[in-house]
Amino acid sequence: MFSSQAGARPRSWEASPSENKKWVEIEADSVMSSINPNTSGILLEEFLNIVRKKKEAQVYRNEIRHIFTAFDVHYRGFLTLEDFKKAFKRVAPKLPERTVLEAFRETDQDSDGHVSFRDFEYAMNHGQTK
């Protein structure tokens, strides 16, 4: 998923060809399942709406990945409480440390002391639905 060379900064996340193929198959299945079998296909407007929503979701996920990567200054693939404190100190310096600790505990879904990208993404998406 991430690769690095000696002394080089890891590149950002990119889907491998097999992951890309998997997502294309999932998208195709999704589109095909939305087709009414009593008609000859899907309306162009419906198809464009599906593609637009998928693209918006992809752009949002890339933004979340970018934020996570900015917080993960040690390129470990997870965030610690110290990473959270440093990140919040940069973006919200007057935020009480207790609030940062609560945010970390809330985001660390499995309470292992590390916030994975999956934990981070879930927290970001959960915050959008409220």
Side-chain angles (χ1 to χ4, degrees):
M1 188 144 139
F2 293 97
S3 68
S4 64
Q5 298 171 353
R9 205 178 146 121
R11 65 180 184 167
S12 61
W13 181 85
E14 295 177 19
S16 69
S18 62
E19 289 173 322
N20 217 3
K21 182 179 178 192
K22 176 183 150 195
W23 283 109
V24 168
E25 289 171 359
I26 290 171
E27 276 186 71
D29 288 345
S30 174
V31 169
M32 295 308 290
S33 68
S34 68
I35 296 174
N36 182 347
N38 298 325
T39 65
S40 63
I42 186 171
L43 296 175
L44 177 60
E45 186 175 318
E46 291 176 43
F47 176 76
L48 293 175
N49 191 36
I50 291 168
V51 171
R52 181 185 53 77
K53 286 180 182 178
K54 179 65 179 168
K55 184 67 176 171
E56 287 172 0
Q58 184 179 20
V59 167
Y60 182 68
R61 189 171 197 268
N62 288 343
E63 288 173 358
I64 293 172
R65 171 64 70 182
H66 182 75
I67 294 167
F68 180 84
T69 302
F71 287 1
D72 183 15
V73 295
H74 298 290
Y75 310 109
R76 295 176 295 210
F78 62 85
L79 304 174
T80 64
L81 178 57
E82 283 304 310
D83 295 330
F84 250 57
K85 287 178 182 178
K86 288 176 185 174
F88 275 96
K89 191 166 255 348
R90 284 186 292 172
V91 297
K94 295 183 181 186
L95 196 65
E97 189 170 327
R98 188 176 120 209
T99 304
V100 175
L101 179 60
E102 289 172 8
F104 181 81
R105 287 181 177 157
E106 185 74 26
T107 306
D108 182 12
Q109 293 289 305
D110 55 5
S111 301
D112 65 352
H114 298 111
V115 172
S116 66
F117 175 70
R118 179 172 279 157
D119 292 337
F120 189 79
E121 181 181 36
Y122 177 82
M124 295 290 282
N125 287 327
H126 183 69
Q128 291 296 311
T129 59
K130 286 189 174 185

